[in-house]
Amino acid sequence: MRESNGAVRVGVYVCHCGSNIGAIVDCKAVAEYAAGLLHVAVARDYKYMCSDPGQELIQKDIEEHKLNRIVVASCSPHLHENTFRVATAKAGLNPYYLTMVNIREHDSWVHTDRAAATEKAKDLVRGAVRRVVLQRPLEKGRVPIDPKVLVVGGGIAGIHAALTLANAGKKVYLVEREPTIGGHMAMFDKTFPTLDCAACILTPKMSTVKNHPNITLWTYSEVESVSGYVGNYDVKVRRRTRYINEDLCSGCQECIAACVFKEPKFPDEFNQRLGKRKPIYLPFPQAVPQTPVIDPETCIEFKTGKCKKTCLEACADRHAIDFKLTDTVEEIRVGTIIVCTGFQAYDARRSPQFGYGIYPNVYTSLEIERLVNAAGPTAGEVVLRDGKTVPRSIGIIHCVGSRDENANRWCSRVCCMYSLKLAHLLKEHTDAEIFNFYIDMRTPGKSFEEFYQRLLNEGVHFIRGKVAEVTDWAADPSEEGKLVLRVEDTLLGVVRRIPVDMVVLSVGLEPHADAQDVRRMFNMTCSNEGFFLERHPKLAPVNTFTDGVFLAGCCQGPKDIPDTVAQAGAAAAEAMALIDAGYVEQEPNVAYVIEEDCSGCKTCIPMCPYSAITFREQDKKAEVNAVLCKGCGTCVAACPSGSIQQRLFEDDELFEELEGVLIHA
Amino acid sequence: MSEAKFEPRIVAFFCNWCTYLAADLAGISRMKYPPNARVIRVMCSGRIDPQFIVKAFANGADGVLIGGCHPGDCHYQEGNYKCLRRFTLLKRVIQEMGIEDERLRLEWISAAEGDRLRTVMFDMVEKVRALGPLNWKPAEEKAPVAEEVTA
Amino acid sequence: MPENRGYLYFPGCSLRATGAAYDESLTETFRLLGIPIEELEDWNCCGATSYMAVDENSAFLLSARNLSIAAQQGGRDLMAACSACYLGLRKAQDYVEHYPEVRAKVEAGLKAAELKPFTGVKVRHTLEILYNDVGVAQIKSKAVRKWQGGKLACYYGCQAVRPYDEVDNPHNPMRMDELMRAVGAQTVDYPLKTKCCGGTLTGTIHDVGVRLNYILLKEAVRKGAEAIVTICPLCQFNLDAYQCEITGDQGEKFDVPILYFTQVLGWALGGDPGKLGLKRCIAGQSKIKNWFSAKQEVASHA
């Protein structure tokens, strides 16, 4: 490494970013101004500093002009700080002799007055020049990465991510809250636009997960706490008890048959409460694992303690059932985490104009998925809630809870396509007359538009307009006993009343009610909508702002199955990239103690949320563990004698920057 | 500079993970706000030493804005709470120094709240503009770091 | 619970004329609840629908004057019982707040009348006050009579729930239903609960106005309701006064009591039936007499 021996020589580079900066900030003037600042040896403006020639320009100047400090005024450091650090290092200069000035996101893109924006750029550059003069050479620390991965959520995203990693030889913990993996996809009947059966393509993957030697599957379990840092996360997982020992259970289901409830009696969650289950149950026939669950809310033994416990008898030779089992907590160490916690469907009761919960024959789309499914509560027979009448006419309302100021403002992306799919399936099952009510038809995927054309040819009606209400008020005798959809047909320009037997609400996707808790646990950020925020919408779509924590599936935003699988694969690859590197580099911006000045007052110790500061008894000084320190600098601000400093954010560096930005030209 | 055209000088200390990113988002979204603030990036609002703020006022800032993550959302768990404690005390201290406490402001702005950042910028500039220049201690061009500084 | 300081009460023209029963039953209800209401001194027309249609500015000024004197008589929320009054006042307040050009005109008008601009006055509807400030639980605990009369269709009309959603959910208001259920009444699912009562059409295009009332009555009866309960004097008047003129498509005739929700509440809270304006109702008088007997005390209504 070339260290500067002798005078400080700063190079300042002002980027036009095409016209992104240049149109508002007079980059040439900024460079000319910078050239006059103390210590500045070279100042240039250039079209694209991040381009190869731009970077080479810096490297050449370092060589020719013996530069030993670099200031790049361009975009946000979150975007290109690393680019320029690498470029600086390539020329033999310590990469921490670089400072970036954000004159795009914080200047040219947000201001309109050219003179004021140029002034601002000059001020910021002046601050940076004064700061960079004081900057010290730093080295990144290295921390080894634990090669095990935690995947949170066992829907299609989690399943795919876990399998990808496991197939590459990585050890994976897959944690799922429900008693079975499979997520929403397991509830679907067919998938659009190919109409292949969801179970047929999903269940083989589910059993592979169960049998994979590299995957530890914990269902009916939830992550309870996460601590540590990239490469070394300590995770506690609560495994809720099913009252059936998973290791002893053979999955014979004799216990279910033997239950004192001869007939299923309680609403079955997996079938959207359309069917019934017993207190001891398997959510669905292909559930993974094939271990039943006992629901203490409905089990007689738990409620009264006086059950005949016929289930125990049925399991007599295995003794898998034990009413005294309790939750257990597993403590694991992983290096990386993939969060795939999925979505929840919009609660249609929140839009009472569509009559869900008021009129029995108004259904949600998930209910219809179960109704048309051969393994569903009616064995695939589509009948109304009376259990016998086959609907002759069906209205499918798109965008329920989506694109609605009073509900969720976003488009849920999958509803148009699944509405088309349900229209096709319902027509196939009932030959009913089907009306789709849509705001805009959004079919921007592979073979999607073709599927829409197919439905048009199948004779399904499409009415463009937002349904105002679903009512059972009959305006004339032909509407008696029907559900009437009142809608403005915006193509005909008239208000229509369409009487039907069954209404299907295509409910949107939204973040889980507890998404905020999950976000805090994994130290992630949420977008305004409440979905987990990716590090960069274009260039880091599966990363989060926490290193080593990745995202996949609908917890990041609504998406269909192919996109979810692609994202899950990407998240797995990102995790593998970290694991295979073997270590992570740690930013050097950690705190350190200037021992001569430390009085041993211990003020700093409770400041640190990571317990990185300890008190050394032998000489009564504070000591910072650089591996544990995450570089927030809270202790630095608290130290009464200024004897803790933060590398790269030293007091003197920040004071210089502060003075620099405040001196008027 | 006439009173009517007074453009306040504002120093903004933004945390790296929330408010600095909110300002990036405002930029990406091409929101427009007045160009009065000069942003200094720190990793966490907990890093902001009260001396920075006093120094800013002493060096000619008419207002100081601190931006951090929402309570409970700190990237470093609780640095923003530490910041809030210091801020509350500092508000009292600067009043005793003869500085109107509205000149110092703390806002929780998350990475997703570009719009809120814009609103705060507008509001801060307007409020400080109404207060007029601070002139607490006229900024002098101090000699920058000595020539002989070497690395 | 903090002590309720009461409300400034804006009766508006209807409650002093065709809607006197609303005024009487409301006064009785608040007396029984022990909540003081004080009539806004020197109030004037709210500037309702007809004014708004002809000259928006005059309408805003009329409401603004009421709001300004309410601010002077100060410190309490302004309660309007008539939905048109509520909407007129609320809209004026909203427009003054959000549209500088409206604000400028209104402030100039107030200045000419030597009135101060208003700030901080909250306009509220009686239904929302009884639901939020008093609450279902308190009504339930204070009720001394349990409703033994027929099933009720709660009819909210248009102006209380649109375009503002402060009184109740615009799509499916349920607060009146909840209050009625609190005193033991059964309410029916009434899909037309926010549809048009005909408004002033009964006076202008009479046939259309009456037809709209026929639709409302027919559906209420079909759903099994024996009476309709309202929160607006115009709704009540239209449904009640023209009922005798209606002959349905199948030749059906109606004799459905059209009540104010405060009549039911006032009675349940132990009010004197003679003070609830019940005699002013036109249709269904025999049912009303039967239902609102003074004797039906409930031994323990916990």
Side-chain angles (χ1 to χ4, degrees):
Chain A
M1 287 264 164
R2 178 203 303 268
E3 301 305 343
S4 57
N5 302 313
V8 168
R9 296 175 62 80
V10 183
V12 179
Y13 300 87
V14 184
C15 178
H16 291 248
C17 193
S19 61
N20 279 308
I21 297 170
I24 297 293
V25 172
D26 184 344
C27 297
K28 201 170 161 53
V30 175
E32 279 165 8
Y33 172 78
L37 293 169
L38 194 62
H39 296 303
V40 173
V42 178
R44 303 182 193 278
D45 59 302
Y46 190 73
K47 206 80 184 158
Y48 287 106
M49 281 311 299
C50 63
S51 67
D52 283 350
Q55 295 182 45
E56 280 157 18
L57 188 64
I58 298 176
Q59 289 159 347
K60 208 166 118 243
D61 283 352
I62 291 174
E63 195 64 38
E64 284 177 11
H65 296 269
K66 308 281 173 256
L67 300 182
N68 48 30
R69 300 288 190 283
I70 304 297
V71 170
V72 181
S74 57
C75 50
S76 171
H78 282 276
L79 208 62
H80 273 314
E81 193 169 54
N82 197 47
T83 311
F84 293 115
R85 281 208 180 129
V86 171
T88 309
K90 269 192 191 155
L93 198 62
N94 185 288
Y96 293 90
Y97 278 141
L98 168 99
T99 279
M100 273 188 83
V101 183
N102 187 343
I103 57 168
R104 193 177 73 173
E105 284 84 346
H106 289 196
D107 193 355
S108 69
W109 276 353
V110 288
H111 305 316
T112 45
D113 179 339
R114 192 172 165 84
T118 305
E119 274 314 295
K120 180 170 176 176
K122 286 180 186 171
D123 286 355
L124 293 173
V125 166
R126 191 176 51 236
V129 167
R130 290 186 56 163
R131 181 194 212 284
V132 82
V133 167
L134 289 183
Q135 280 175 214
R136 285 88 166 159
L138 299 171
E139 295 294 329
K140 281 185 174 176
R142 278 186 177 189
V143 190
I145 290 234
D146 189 300
K148 296 191 287 300
V149 186
L150 168 68
V151 177
V152 188
I156 180 58
I159 289 172
H160 187 78
L163 283 176
T164 307
L165 288 158
N167 289 341
K170 313 299 175 202
K171 296 281 179 197
V172 180
Y173 295 98
L174 177 58
V175 175
E176 164 60 45
R177 170 149 64 182
E178 300 297 326
T180 174
I181 55 171
H184 280 99
M185 186 177 171
M187 297 172 185
F188 300 158
D189 182 50
K190 302 276 168 60
T191 55
F192 61 76
T194 46
L195 295 176
D196 37 0
C197 146
C200 313
I201 55 177
L202 180 65
T203 51
K205 285 184 88 119
M206 288 165 60
S207 24
T208 313
V209 164
K210 176 68 192 162
N211 299 322
H212 207 295
N214 287 337
I215 298 178
T216 304
L217 173 62
W218 288 332
T219 55
Y220 216 42
S221 303
E222 282 184 79
V223 176
E224 206 162 64
S225 70
V226 179
S227 61
Y229 48 92
V230 55
N232 300 275
Y233 285 110
D234 290 310
V235 182
K236 282 189 188 158
V237 179
R238 174 170 293 273
R239 300 190 64 194
R240 289 164 60 204
T241 180
R242 323 160 92 94
Y243 302 103
I244 296 175
N245 188 322
E246 224 176 290
D247 299 328
L248 299 177
C249 174
S250 69
C252 69
Q253 299 176 37
E254 290 296 322
C255 52
I256 301 177
C259 177
V260 292
F261 284 98
K262 289 293 156 228
E263 292 300 320
K265 196 184 160 194
F266 305 100
D268 165 7
E269 294 84 359
F270 185 81
N271 278 321
Q272 301 297 304
R273 308 175 80 82
L274 290 173
K276 301 255 195 299
R277 62 157 171 83
K278 294 183 179 181
I280 182 165
Y281 67 101
L282 199 62
F284 63 104
Q286 302 101 316
V288 169
Q290 285 273 301
T291 310
V293 195
I294 296 176
D295 169 22
E297 297 293 315
T298 50
C299 172
I300 301 277
E301 178 61 17
F302 281 98
K303 290 176 76 171
T304 66
K306 290 181 190 153
C307 184
K308 282 193 283 179
K309 291 180 269 192
T310 41
C311 54
L312 275 183
E313 289 166 27
C315 195
D317 51 344
R318 288 193 161 262
H319 303 294
I321 302 179
D322 181 353
F323 292 104
K324 294 200 177 60
L325 286 175
T326 51
D327 293 2
T328 52
V329 175
E330 307 270 357
E331 295 187 20
I332 53 172
R333 160 73 61 98
V334 296
T336 46
I337 297 172
I338 302 178
V339 178
C340 342
T341 48
F343 66 96
Q344 70 182 24
Y346 174 78
D347 178 3
R349 285 183 185 80
R350 282 171 54 202
S351 298
Q353 67 268 36
F354 300 129
Y356 185 75
I358 300 170
Y359 306 119
N361 292 324
V362 178
Y363 291 81
T364 68
S365 44
L366 267 181
E367 288 175 326
I368 299 298
E369 294 280 0
R370 296 315 301 155
L371 217 49
V372 295
N373 190 286
T378 57
E381 212 179 315
V382 176
V383 287
L384 297 176
R385 282 215 213 243
D386 63 6
K388 52 178 195 278
T389 314
V390 178
R392 304 310 316 147
S393 50
I394 302 171
I396 302 178
I397 306 178
H398 293 213
C399 300
V400 173
S402 305
R403 306 181 71 196
D404 180 349
E405 292 277 334
N406 296 313
N408 295 325
R409 291 172 63 175
W410 58 88
C411 165
S412 292
R413 260 187 80 178
V414 291
C415 316
C416 278
M417 284 307 294
Y418 81 58
S419 299
L420 293 177
K421 174 192 76 180
L422 291 177
H424 171 84
L425 295 174
L426 285 168
K427 191 147 188 77
E428 195 176 70
H429 280 70
T430 63
D431 202 30
E433 187 162 26
I434 298 186
F435 301 86
N436 270 255
F437 301 88
Y438 67 99
I439 308 178
D440 296 293
M441 189 58 76
R442 296 189 168 175
T443 57
K446 194 174 179 183
S447 307
F448 286 10
E449 182 64 19
E450 295 90 320
F451 190 66
Y452 176 31
Q453 286 302 324
R454 173 177 169 181
L455 266 285
L456 285 167
N457 294 334
E458 283 176 8
V460 171
H461 304 290
F462 287 87
I463 295 176
R464 183 174 175 277
K466 205 168 177 174
V467 172
E469 65 174 350
V470 174
T471 175
D472 69 346
W473 169 62
D476 62 64
S478 73
E479 296 179 352
E480 285 294 343
K482 303 263 182 187
L483 290 167
V484 180
L485 294 106
R486 215 158 58 90
V487 58
E488 181 191 3
D489 187 326
T490 57
L491 298 180
L492 294 181
V494 293
V495 174
R496 296 174 68 178
R497 292 175 65 87
I498 313 274
V500 295
D501 296 328
M502 175 190 248
V503 172
V504 181
L505 305 182
S506 295
V507 289
L509 278 54
E510 63 182 20
H512 273 295
D514 62 354
Q516 292 290 337
D517 300 333
V518 175
R519 170 182 74 77
R520 290 208 178 94
M521 185 143 47
F522 295 101
N523 204 0
M524 297 184 291
T525 313
C526 277
S527 63
N528 270 345
E529 298 80 27
F531 292 110
F532 301 141
L533 194 65
E534 62 281 1
R535 188 169 200 137
H536 190 279
K538 311 284 186 302
L539 302 176
V542 300
N543 302 65
T544 67
F545 286 97
T546 302
D547 290 332
V549 177
F550 305 99
L551 293 172
C554 290
C555 64
Q556 182 259 341
K559 56 181 65 67
D560 62 9
I561 295 167
D563 284 6
T564 298
V565 170
Q567 206 183 16
E574 291 280 353
M576 274 191 275
L578 275 179
I579 296 166
D580 287 355
Y583 61 86
V584 263
E585 289 195 317
Q586 258 196 335
E587 278 302 312
N589 57 359
V590 292
Y592 66 98
V593 178
I594 303 165
E595 295 191 357
E596 311 86 271
D597 299 345
C598 176
S599 67
C601 73
K602 300 186 189 172
T603 304
C604 52
I605 290 170
M607 287 290 136
C608 181
Y610 308 103
S611 310
I613 313 178
T614 45
F615 185 67
R616 213 164 48 215
E617 283 298 339
Q618 66 262 33
D619 57 354
K620 311 268 182 239
K621 303 276 183 198
E623 187 178 31
V624 177
N625 179 336
V627 174
L628 292 180
C629 174
K630 300 227 178 146
C632 62
T634 304
C635 57
V636 185
C639 179
S641 63
S643 53
I644 300 191
Q645 284 300 323
Q646 182 186 9
R647 299 196 196 281
L648 207 58
F649 292 88
E650 309 261 356
D651 278 346
D652 56 0
E653 293 167 358
L654 289 168
F655 277 132
E656 277 300 313
E657 183 175 356
L658 180 56
E659 282 187 20
V661 297
L662 276 170
I663 300 165
H664 262 241
Chain B
M1 196 180 282
S2 76
E3 200 63 17
K5 280 186 182 170
F6 166 59
E7 286 295 343
R9 281 191 274 177
I10 290 166
V11 172
F13 294 96
F14 286 168
C15 83
N16 184 56
W17 302 103
C18 285
T19 315
Y20 193 91
L21 286 172
D24 278 4
L25 179 63
I28 292 162
S29 316
R30 308 297 199 275
M31 294 169 178
K32 302 297 175 205
Y33 57 80
N36 303 56
R38 306 288 179 262
V39 177
I40 293 180
R41 180 167 69 124
V42 286
M43 293 308 282
C44 177
S45 55
R47 172 68 183 90
I48 299 163
D49 192 319
Q51 293 181 78
F52 296 171
I53 287 137
V54 178
K55 171 96 175 163
F57 284 127
N59 278 47
D62 300 301
V64 175
L65 172 64
I66 302 172
C69 309
H70 284 270
D73 289 3
C74 178
H75 188 79
Y76 303 101
Q77 299 181 16
E78 49 200 29
N80 51 356
Y81 293 130
K82 311 279 165 39
C83 175
L84 175 61
R85 277 193 233 163
R86 291 170 192 147
F87 167 80
T88 313
L89 285 174
L90 199 59
K91 275 253 195 194
R92 263 191 258 164
V93 173
I94 61 162
Q95 274 177 297
E96 280 166 19
M97 290 171 163
I99 301 172
E100 298 91 336
D101 77 329
E102 297 98 311
R103 292 186 189 273
L104 174 60
R105 183 159 169 173
L106 170 64
E107 291 287 344
W108 309 132
I109 305 175
S110 83
E113 295 177 320
D115 192 38
R116 185 166 155 68
L117 182 116
R118 171 179 59 177
T119 313
V120 167
M121 283 289 193
F122 265 105
D123 195 59
M124 176 96 189
V125 170
E126 277 323 303
K127 290 224 165 91
V128 178
R129 198 197 306 276
L131 288 171
L134 176 58
N135 293 330
W136 187 51
K137 190 169 129 193
E140 304 157 22
E141 176 98 25
K142 258 181 53 178
V145 193
E147 300 275 340
E148 60 274 16
V149 165
T150 53
Chain C
M1 185 180 269
E3 197 201 349
N4 192 327
R5 293 177 54 239
Y7 307 90
L8 276 176
Y9 169 41
F10 182 84
C13 64
S14 289
L15 273 77
R16 287 296 145 83
T18 52
Y22 198 3
D23 183 44
E24 289 156 6
S25 58
L26 176 153
T27 307
E28 183 70 355
T29 300
F30 277 79
R31 186 186 68 76
L32 290 162
L33 287 168
I35 300 169
I37 51 174
E38 187 194 336
E39 185 168 329
L40 179 68
E41 208 176 302
D42 196 29
W43 58 268
N44 54 261
C45 168
C46 71
T49 330
S50 28
Y51 247 118
M52 194 60 84
V54 178
D55 180 359
E56 201 178 61
N57 193 41
S58 301
F60 283 142
L61 273 173
L62 285 165
S63 269
R65 182 178 176 279
N66 287 318
L67 289 164
S68 175
I69 58 177
Q72 294 309 304
Q73 291 170 37
R76 283 162 295 174
D77 294 346
L78 182 63
M79 175 174 81
C82 166
S83 298
C85 295
Y86 164 76
L87 184 59
L89 292 163
R90 184 70 189 80
K91 186 175 173 185
Q93 188 187 40
D94 186 26
Y95 274 57
V96 166
E97 192 180 328
H98 291 110
Y99 300 95
E101 62 279 16
V102 175
R103 179 162 59 234
K105 281 187 192 169
V106 164
E107 280 177 0
L110 287 174
K111 203 175 169 195
E114 293 180 353
L115 285 164
K116 289 182 183 159
F118 52 87
T119 45
V121 182
K122 203 160 182 231
V123 179
R124 300 176 65 185
H125 192 276
T126 310
L127 171 62
E128 183 261 316
I129 284 176
L130 286 174
Y131 184 84
N132 282 327
D133 292 8
V134 180
V136 169
Q138 210 187 135
I139 297 273
K140 211 173 197 164
S141 71
K142 286 194 172 168
V144 296
R145 294 188 185 119
K146 191 177 175 198
W147 183 252
Q148 311 278 2
K151 285 187 190 172
L152 306 175
C154 291
Y155 175 58
Y156 297 75
C158 61
Q159 301 195 83
V161 293
R162 286 196 298 267
Y164 302 102
D165 60 2
E166 289 152 13
V167 175
D168 208 337
N169 183 331
H171 292 302
N172 187 30
M174 283 302 288
R175 288 176 172 179
M176 185 175 14
D177 289 72
E178 284 186 52
L179 290 174
M180 293 298 107
R181 289 174 194 171
V183 299
Q186 264 188 289
T187 63
V188 300
D189 167 47
Y190 188 47
L192 305 184
K193 55 171 69 166
T194 64
K195 294 290 179 293
C196 181
C197 72
T200 50
L201 281 177
T202 43
T204 50
I205 315 172
H206 191 69
D207 290 351
V208 174
V210 171
R211 172 89 195 162
L212 290 167
N213 281 285
Y214 164 58
I215 291 170
L216 294 177
L217 286 162
K218 185 181 162 194
E219 183 64 11
V221 171
R222 189 175 83 100
K223 288 286 183 177
E226 286 189 63
I228 297 176
V229 195
T230 63
I231 57 168
C232 171
L234 188 56
C235 296
Q236 196 278 341
F237 178 77
N238 277 331
L239 283 163
D240 203 11
Y242 300 102
Q243 216 178 104
C244 58
E245 293 181 22
I246 295 170
T247 306
D249 296 339
Q250 271 82 46
E252 68 267 41
K253 296 296 284 181
F254 296 96
D255 192 28
V256 178
I258 311 297
L259 304 168
Y260 289 106
F261 80 121
T262 42
Q263 289 177 317
V264 177
L265 288 180
W267 175 83
L269 291 166
D272 175 358
K275 288 184 179 167
L276 297 171
L278 292 163
K279 288 198 176 135
R280 298 180 191 275
C281 295
I282 301 167
Q285 263 301 335
S286 60
K287 281 183 188 160
I288 292 175
K289 271 190 199 115
N290 190 13
W291 293 345
F292 287 90
S293 106
K295 286 183 193 124
Q296 285 186 28
E297 300 284 335
V298 177
S300 65
H301 184 74

